[in-house]
């Protein structure tokens, strides 16, 4: 039967009202039933009385709502009365002064570490402002001298690292003076390298006959280690030679020819002698100025011999203080290095150009 | 009489079909929670449960105890609103 057929809005309005009330009470009963189910389930699961506490504890933790008292019924403290104990020096500090004190006491922040440590060390109770003033003055002085010292040191080391001449001369001395200096020399002699653009064709040629010469991708400098340096492959060396000298470039010399190269300049006996001499000093040969880290192998140590020899005789001729101490004047050092480089333009670019000047 | 019950059944079916019954139920629940009816009844339930003992309470007990009180406790405003909506629904669909 369809609802539309019903005479709902007919004359029997009371009937309709009764119907509406029925529906309403049904809905209310539904709601009641839902609540009953809910409560019953809660009871059976045991969580119905969970939120109940006994009357006493309810009273105990009642929220206090009175003026001048916080919700727990405690008297409200003014913040300025608060004092904190410094965890470092155990003194009581007013809360408003706590942060600045802590900064000083723990030695964080600017200027404070030495103040604090000194104060702790002396542990005196003199008036604060006075001691602060003193300490600050002291500190400033210290800072100044300390910084200056540091700067000076740094400058020095920079110079020595950047100057190829120095490193070169060190090498020679190294040869003369023995192994005691070589460690230091090694420190100075690493990572120079030659930029090939600054060299003339002859220089390039002579360089490539004696050194690895592979051009680094990063620094664009040539490797100044021996032709058998382990860092680069023969292919790389060949490619560099073709690139710099043209396709007619000589093939890479073998290990044997490298030795022969040595005797090219120097009479064999002398070479041998100097080699023996050289090999007495156990340390790395610093002559392979650039990246001498790997230069401990023997082919590397052969070249320095020659140099050393030449520099020796030339030095004696020139009357320079060639055998001087490591910290000798830089002028004499550069003198030496120039002399040697004339024989063998092998090291870094600037020194080579200076040789050229000399020759001209 | 039979016609009356027929009509009743038809209306109920219509209420359910249209989803109006569900909507009315939800509205009533929300209103009752809002006005504290639910909390009152819950408190009453607690009394009943304490009386009977936690272990021996049944749903029937609760229903018989709670329903009359529940009916009485519904606020007038909620009752009026609900009646109004039911009437509106009937009028809308009886004229079709």
């Amino acid at each position: 039967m369809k609802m539309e057929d019903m005479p709902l809005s007919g004359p029997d309005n009371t009937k309709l009202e009764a119907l509406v009330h029925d529906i309403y009470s049904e809905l209310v009963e539904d709601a009641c039933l839902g609540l009953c189910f809910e409560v019953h389930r809660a009871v059976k699961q045991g969580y119905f009385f969970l939120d109940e506490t006994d009357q006493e504890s309810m009273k105990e933790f009642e929220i206090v709502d009175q003026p001048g008292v916080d919700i727990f019924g405690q008297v409200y403290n003014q913040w300025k009365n608060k004092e904190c104990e410094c965890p470092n020096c155990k003194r009581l500090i007013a809360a408003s002064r706590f942060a600045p004190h802590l900064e000083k006491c723990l030695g964080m922040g600017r200027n404070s570490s030495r103040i604090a440590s000194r104060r702790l060390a002396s542990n005196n109770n003199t008036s604060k402002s006075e001691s602060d003033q003193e300490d600050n003055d002291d500190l400033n002085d210290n800072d100044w001298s300390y910084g200056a010292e540091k700067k000076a040191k740094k400058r020095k080391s920079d110079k020595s690292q950047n100057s190829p001449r120095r490193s070169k001369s060190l090498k020679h001395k190294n040869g003369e003076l023995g192994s005691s200096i070589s460690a230091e020399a090694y420190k100075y002699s690493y990572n120079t390298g030659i930029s090939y653009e600054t060299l003339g064709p002859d220089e390039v040629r002579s360089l490539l006959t004696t050194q690895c010469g592979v051009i680094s991708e990063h620094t664009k400098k040539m490797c100044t280690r021996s032709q058998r340096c382990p860092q680069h492959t023969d292919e790389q060396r060949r490619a560099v030679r073709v690139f710099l000298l043209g396709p007619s470039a000589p093939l890479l010399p073998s290990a044997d020819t490298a030795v022969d190269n040595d005797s090219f300049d120097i009479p064999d006996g002398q070479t041998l002698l100097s080699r023996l001499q050289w090999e007495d000093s156990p340390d790395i040969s610093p002559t392979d100025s650039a990246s001498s880290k790997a230069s401990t192998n023997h082919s590397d140590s052969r070249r320095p011999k020659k140099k050393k020899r030449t520099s020796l005789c030339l030095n004696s001729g020139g009357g320079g203080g060639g055998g001087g101490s490591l910290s000798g004047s830089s002028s004499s050092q550069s003198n030496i290095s120039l002399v040697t480089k004339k024989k063998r333009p092998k090291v870094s670019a600037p020194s080579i150009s200076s040789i050229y000047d000399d020759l001209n | 009489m039979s016609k009356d019950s027929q009509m009743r059944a038809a209306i109920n079916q219509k209420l359910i079909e249209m989803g109006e019954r569900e909507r009315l139920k939800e509205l009533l629940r929300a209103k009752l929670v809002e006005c504290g009816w639910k909390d009152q009844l819950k408190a009453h339930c607690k009394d009943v449960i304490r009386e009977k003992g936690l272990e021996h309470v049944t749903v029937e007990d609760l229903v018989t105890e709670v329903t009359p009180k529940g009916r009485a406790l519904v606020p007038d405003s909620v009752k009026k609103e609900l009646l109004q909506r039911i009437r509106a629904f009937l009028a809308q669909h009886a004229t079709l």
Side-chain angles (χ1 to χ4, degrees):
Chain A
M1 182 164 203
K2 292 269 177 181
M3 198 175 144
E4 285 77 14
D5 307 333
M6 307 281 167
L8 272 179
S9 50
D12 46 355
N13 227 354
T14 51
K15 218 185 224 172
L16 184 72
E17 245 348 87
L19 201 63
V20 168
H21 272 273
D22 276 355
I23 295 170
Y24 160 73
S25 57
E26 229 171 82
L27 285 172
V28 171
E29 265 164 47
D30 254 16
C32 283
L33 190 63
L35 182 84
C36 287
F37 281 141
E38 198 178 297
V39 170
H40 184 255
R41 179 181 157 80
V43 169
K44 295 301 172 191
Q45 298 276 334
Y47 61 83
F48 188 63
F49 290 106
L50 271 189
D51 56 340
E52 290 240 320
T53 48
D54 55 316
Q55 229 39 33
E56 269 177 43
S57 54
M58 283 297 276
K59 212 156 226 160
E60 194 179 331
F61 296 109
E62 209 171 6
I63 290 177
V64 179
D65 187 14
Q66 285 166 12
V69 174
D70 66 8
I71 58 164
F72 304 109
Q74 291 161 342
V75 179
Y76 173 66
N77 271 332
Q78 293 293 315
W79 63 269
K80 58 183 168 191
N81 298 336
K82 283 267 200 290
E83 285 205 325
C84 311
E85 189 188 305
C86 173
N88 200 20
C89 68
K90 306 291 181 206
R91 285 196 299 181
L92 284 178
I93 316 290
S96 56
R97 293 289 308 156
F98 186 65
H101 166 80
L102 206 61
E103 187 187 338
K104 286 209 176 82
C105 198
L106 288 181
M108 315 288 287
R110 209 168 53 92
N111 288 348
S112 46
S113 63
R114 268 156 293 181
I115 297 174
S117 55
R118 225 173 287 163
R119 187 181 293 157
L120 277 182
S122 58
N123 206 13
N124 56 355
N125 289 334
T126 55
S127 92
K128 198 176 162 193
S129 60
E130 219 178 281
S131 65
D132 267 358
Q133 198 54 46
E134 272 175 28
D135 285 343
N136 269 335
D137 287 345
D138 238 352
L139 187 74
N140 282 343
D141 289 344
N142 273 351
D143 254 353
W144 182 253
S145 58
Y146 178 61
E149 222 176 88
K150 231 168 137 186
K151 262 178 210 161
K153 254 187 214 163
K154 201 174 180 185
R155 235 178 273 134
K156 223 189 268 173
S157 65
D158 275 349
K159 218 191 250 170
S160 51
Q161 272 193 356
N162 288 341
S163 135
R165 286 180 194 175
R166 187 185 162 99
S167 69
K168 178 100 188 191
S169 60
L170 275 174
K171 280 171 236 151
H172 299 310
K173 263 188 241 131
N174 198 17
E176 293 158 14
L177 297 179
S179 60
S180 63
I181 316 169
S182 58
E184 184 117 26
Y186 167 59
K187 205 164 60 187
Y188 288 128
S189 64
Y190 68 93
N191 231 0
T192 32
I194 303 174
S195 59
Y196 59 90
E197 294 100 326
T198 60
L199 302 178
D202 288 344
E203 283 166 332
V204 169
R205 199 176 299 276
S206 64
L207 267 177
L208 289 179
T209 55
T210 54
Q211 315 184 353
C212 167
V214 171
I215 298 164
S216 159
E217 286 177 22
H218 306 292
T219 62
K220 307 290 181 209
K221 299 274 174 91
M222 294 170 77
C223 175
T224 54
R225 270 180 280 172
S226 81
Q227 284 172 337
R228 288 193 297 172
C229 94
Q231 215 169 36
H232 302 104
T233 64
D234 282 350
E235 271 76 22
Q236 283 175 305
R237 282 188 269 274
R238 209 166 290 137
V240 167
R241 275 153 183 77
V242 169
F243 170 67
L244 289 176
L245 304 175
S248 62
L251 284 178
L252 196 68
S254 65
D256 290 337
T257 55
V259 175
D260 287 344
N261 264 356
D262 277 356
S263 58
F264 198 74
D265 287 33
I266 307 153
D268 255 338
Q270 268 177 336
T271 324
L272 245 166
L273 205 82
S274 54
R275 182 182 306 172
L276 286 173
Q277 237 179 352
W278 182 257
E279 274 159 7
D280 279 345
S281 75
D283 252 296
I284 308 150
S285 102
T287 321
D288 302 316
S289 55
S291 53
S292 60
K293 291 165 258 169
S295 64
T296 39
N297 59 17
H298 273 260
S299 73
D300 281 5
S301 56
R302 260 172 231 141
R303 253 181 297 121
K305 291 164 238 152
K306 285 172 283 168
K307 270 192 200 159
K308 183 186 53 188
R309 192 192 58 79
T310 49
S311 70
L312 260 171
C313 39
L314 285 167
N315 277 340
S316 58
S325 68
L326 187 68
S327 55
S329 73
S330 66
S331 68
S332 75
Q333 284 169 1
S334 67
N335 213 358
I336 305 162
S337 61
L338 277 180
V339 166
T340 25
K341 268 169 228 146
K342 241 183 237 170
K343 285 282 173 199
R344 228 161 224 274
K346 198 182 286 183
V347 260
S348 42
S351 52
I352 285 165
S353 57
S354 66
I355 300 161
Y356 244 50
D357 292 342
D358 242 14
L359 289 172
N360 293 337
Chain B
M1 190 60 197
S2 74
K3 196 189 168 191
D4 202 34
S5 65
Q6 268 182 353
M7 193 175 72
R8 216 171 263 259
I11 288 171
N12 264 332
Q13 185 163 351
K14 194 75 181 169
L15 275 171
I16 294 167
E17 268 175 20
M18 303 293 293
E20 183 68 10
R21 195 183 152 86
E22 219 34 56
R23 272 195 291 276
L24 287 172
K25 232 161 106 178
E26 199 50 50
L27 176 78
L28 180 66
R29 205 199 311 270
K31 289 275 173 199
L32 290 179
V33 169
E34 214 172 77
C35 67
W37 175 88
K38 194 173 175 181
D39 290 334
Q40 281 173 295
L41 277 198
K42 251 191 181 169
H44 181 63
C45 282
K46 260 175 207 169
D47 293 340
V48 174
I49 291 161
R50 284 220 184 84
E51 236 173 69
K52 306 245 173 192
L54 204 71
E55 297 300 317
H56 311 294
V57 177
T58 60
V59 183
E60 288 77 25
D61 290 338
L62 282 175
V63 171
T64 52
E65 292 280 343
V66 164
T67 306
K69 190 149 197 195
R71 226 180 258 143
L73 280 175
V74 177
D76 272 351
S77 62
V78 176
K79 184 175 174 176
K80 261 183 202 154
E81 188 179 343
L82 222 68
L83 288 176
Q84 197 60 43
R85 281 199 57 159
I86 296 166
R87 252 182 237 126
F89 176 83
L90 288 185
Q92 193 185 341
H93 291 274
T95 52
L96 284 177

